[in-house]
Amino acid sequence: MTSVTPTVDRASLRRAFLASLSGTSLEWYDFAAYSVAAATVFGHQFFPAGDPLVSTMAAFSTYAVGYLSRPLGGFVFGRLGDVLGRKRVLVITLLLTGIATFLIGVLPTHSAIGGTAAVLLVLLRFAQGVGIGGEWGGAVLLSSEFGDPKKRGFWASAAQVGPPAGNLLANGVLALLALLLTEEQFDSWGWRVAFLLSAVLVAFGLWIRLKLEETPVFKRIAESGERPSAPISEVFKYERRALLAAIFVRVCPDVLYALFTVFVLTYMTQELGMSRSQGLTAVMIGSAGQLVLMPAFGALSDRMNRRKLYLFATIAAAIWPFVFFPLVSGRSFGLLLVGIVIALVIHAALYGPQAALITEQFTERLRYTGSSLAYTLAGVIGGAIAPLLFTSLLAGFDSWVALALYVVVTAVVSAVGIALAREARDETQVVVS
């Protein structure tokens, strides 16, 4: 039976939406800024060696650390979120990620403190990953648990807007720095500005989150005495199907995003001989569209069966690479733009409803833990290794067909997840004033 919780005012809903958006935007702002710095600066600044390629590869290894440490954050903060509450844990994760990012901006380089600089960079990157691992699950719940469960697709999409928002913001900052500074100035100190500016996002996120009350759902759980004492054990013992479903549905969208925002830049420059700026422009235009499309698809999933919408988008994701690669073979920027924009529309159709689809697999009292574990574990087997696998497949088969087939395999995995997934449970109705 559906009961009614105390009224939630629309101001609280808007604050919860912004609080969720700010945290995930910081995450992806950091990742975008870090990827550029790892490719251009960190190699010789923190890992100097005789071979520039070796230095760059060492710098990229710290990028991977940010993914590999995410599951630890999911385990630690997911558990705390179900025991202590959503708001309190999200303040901690935001501070952890933000402080680590800011400290990278003031970190002495190898020339100042020797090998200690590289060690500190890896430790700060590890801390970022831990904070991010606990951020997503709570950010989704923060916005969705203040809203009507019947509109969860829309409210939960706040956390999903973070990737395009963060990428656009980071690329905008880096483009402005490139315009204002010489190459020597950027290499010397300009790159630090991008990391130091993360403090603005942290301050805004803290201001919003500290003004919020705990979510109505967690309040009800706490008042009823149903808070779990060992949520991780309970998820693995009682909600294994939900966890597998939530992990599997994330794999294809992560790989699709890696293909059309990261690896596509390598493919178009090395295989097609096009300029990197053309690819970046296309990705930024597609990302700008996602700012609107993700909440729109989230809202659409509230009006139709969420699993069916996700399945249709998964099928589209499996088909589109077979259209995209022949489409761009003529090296036309216009066709490249169309191809990337459509790919990111498909991704938005998956990523927008994804937060709601994942969180509603778990019971309310285990939702932070289950969602965090699914997000972080899927990230390791999906997005973290996708660029490396795409590179290896292209080198090994010298054909885009191998890349497209890899996407098909991930689509099958996500389709299995959709089959395992349950429909949304009947939950407490939140009244909005």
Side-chain angles (χ1 to χ4, degrees), residues 410-426:
T410 66
V412 171
V413 171
S414 288
V416 171
I418 295 168
L420 290 173
R422 301 181 178 93
E423 299 293 346
R425 294 177 171 87
D426 186 29

Side-chain angles (χ1 to χ4, degrees), residues 141-196:
L141 298 185
L142 192 65
S143 55
S144 64
E145 289 186 349
F146 269 100
D148 185 342
K150 293 181 180 179
K151 298 180 180 179
R152 179 182 293 125
F154 171 74
W155 291 111
S157 70
Q160 307 302 81
V161 180
N167 280 333
L168 281 171
L169 190 58
N171 280 297
V173 169
L174 291 166
L176 183 61
L177 290 172
L179 181 65
L180 297 177
L181 303 177
T182 66
E183 186 174 338
E184 291 75 17
Q185 289 173 324
F186 182 85
D187 186 74
S188 175
W189 57 268
W191 64 270
R192 297 181 182 275
V193 175
F195 290 92
L196 296 177

Side-chain angles (χ1 to χ4, degrees), residues 247-324:
I247 290 173
F248 287 173
V249 297
R250 266 189 56 82
V251 173
C252 181
D254 276 13
V255 171
L256 187 74
Y257 194 72
L259 174 60
F260 286 105
T261 63
V262 180
F263 183 77
V264 70
L265 302 177
T266 299
Y267 183 85
M268 59 171 292
T269 54
Q270 296 184 4
E271 298 296 316
L272 302 180
M274 301 177 71
S275 70
R276 184 178 180 85
S277 63
Q278 289 178 311
L280 286 172
T281 300
V283 170
M284 289 184 69
I285 292 173
S287 296
Q290 286 190 314
L291 295 177
V292 176
L293 287 173
M294 285 184 180
F297 279 115
L300 179 62
S301 75
D302 291 325
R303 296 178 177 273
M304 64 180 292
N305 184 284
R306 202 171 344 264
R307 292 168 64 225
K308 286 184 180 179
L309 174 61
Y310 208 90
L311 179 60
F312 292 152
T314 300
I315 294 171
I319 294 172
W320 187 244
F322 291 95
V323 178
F324 173 79

Side-chain angles (χ1 to χ4, degrees), residues 338-386:
V338 170
I340 290 179
V341 166
I342 292 178
L344 293 182
V345 169
I346 295 171
H347 177 260
L350 287 162
Y351 208 66
Q354 183 188 93
L357 180 64
I358 288 176
T359 57
E360 64 196 10
Q361 298 307 306
F362 302 96
T363 54
E364 292 178 345
R365 57 192 297 275
L366 298 173
R367 189 166 282 165
Y368 201 140
T369 300
S371 300
S372 296
L373 291 178
Y375 175 77
T376 56
L377 294 175
V380 172
I381 64 175
I385 63 173

Side-chain angles (χ1 to χ4, degrees), residues 17-199:
F17 193 93
L18 287 174
S20 177
L21 173 61
S22 63
T24 52
S25 296
L26 171 64
E27 169 190 344
W28 287 93
Y29 173 90
D30 158 55
F31 265 58
Y34 197 99
S35 63
V36 173
T40 60
V41 176
F42 285 169
H44 60 272
Q45 294 275 18
F46 293 93
F47 305 92
D51 187 347
L53 179 60
V54 173
S55 297
T56 301
M57 290 180 67
F60 273 128
S61 69
T62 63
Y63 183 85
V65 167
Y67 272 103
L68 297 177
S69 60
R70 282 185 180 189
L72 177 60
F75 274 85
V76 173
F77 292 114
R79 178 187 182 280
L80 291 176
D82 281 325
V83 175
L84 300 179
R86 288 45 163 148
K87 173 188 171 179
R88 192 180 306 177
V89 172
L90 281 172
V91 169
I92 297 173
T93 58
L94 183 67
L95 281 173
L96 179 59
T97 305
I99 291 173
T101 303
F102 183 85
L103 289 178
I104 290 176
V106 297
L107 189 64
T109 61
H110 185 276
S111 62
I113 58 174
T116 304
V119 174
L120 291 175
L121 181 63
V122 171
L123 289 175
L124 290 173
R125 186 61 176 165
F126 186 88
Q128 285 177 328
V130 171
I132 288 166
E135 168 71 27
W136 184 84
V140 169
L141 298 185
L142 192 65
S143 55
S144 64
E145 289 186 349
F146 269 100
D148 185 342
K150 293 181 180 179
K151 298 180 180 179
R152 179 182 293 125
F154 171 74
W155 291 111
S157 70
Q160 307 302 81
V161 180
N167 280 333
L168 281 171
L169 190 58
N171 280 297
V173 169
L174 291 166
L176 183 61
L177 290 172
L179 181 65
L180 297 177
L181 303 177
T182 66
E183 186 174 338
E184 291 75 17
Q185 289 173 324
F186 182 85
D187 186 74
S188 175
W189 57 268
W191 64 270
R192 297 181 182 275
V193 175
F195 290 92
L196 296 177
L197 285 177
S198 66

